[in-house]
Amino acid sequence: MSHPASFTARDPLPDHEQKQAALSYLNEAWAEARHDGVDGDCLAQASLFAAFAELVATYGEDAVAKFVEGLPSRVRNGEFSTRLAKQ
């Protein structure tokens, strides 16, 4: 009689590793959607909606509203720009 393989639960990844893994998954999904013809702007808007909905579900409207108040300066400071800064 054979016994099923025993699996042990993995310890959760550190926060920075979870964020790297999440970004990798999102990049793959994004590339697949673009390959299937989904417009980048539509992907961006749907992604923002999903992200904000998750944040609101986790932290509530007030906390998320406070968080997004800081987004304009972060965008202007280039935090979300993917092109390299020229020196």
Side-chain angles (χ1 to χ4, degrees), residues 21-65:
L23 186 56
S24 178
Y25 283 118
L26 290 171
N27 283 335
E28 289 176 25
W30 193 283
E32 186 174 336
R34 292 288 296 180
H35 182 265
D36 289 346
V38 178
D39 181 69
D41 182 60
C42 290
L43 280 167
Q45 290 185 41
S47 296
L48 285 171
F49 176 84
F52 285 127
E54 179 65 24
L55 288 171
V56 167
T58 302
Y59 301 107
E61 285 90 357
D62 290 336
V64 176

Side-chain angles (χ1 to χ4, degrees), residues 1-86:
M1 173 187 239
S2 65
H3 296 282
S6 133
F7 294 100
T8 58
R10 284 197 262 172
D11 290 332
L13 293 174
D15 192 56
H16 71 280
E17 289 183 28
Q18 287 189 45
K19 289 178 182 177
Q20 288 175 338
L23 186 56
S24 178
Y25 283 118
L26 290 171
N27 283 335
E28 289 176 25
W30 193 283
E32 186 174 336
R34 292 288 296 180
H35 182 265
D36 289 346
V38 178
D39 181 69
D41 182 60
C42 290
L43 280 167
Q45 290 185 41
S47 296
L48 285 171
F49 176 84
F52 285 127
E54 179 65 24
L55 288 171
V56 167
T58 302
Y59 301 107
E61 285 90 357
D62 290 336
V64 176
K66 185 172 179 135
F67 169 74
V68 299
E69 287 174 358
L71 288 178
S73 62
R74 292 174 67 188
V75 170
R76 287 185 189 99
N77 287 333
E79 189 171 327
F80 303 101
S81 297
T82 56
R83 56 191 141 83
L84 297 174
K86 295 183 181 179

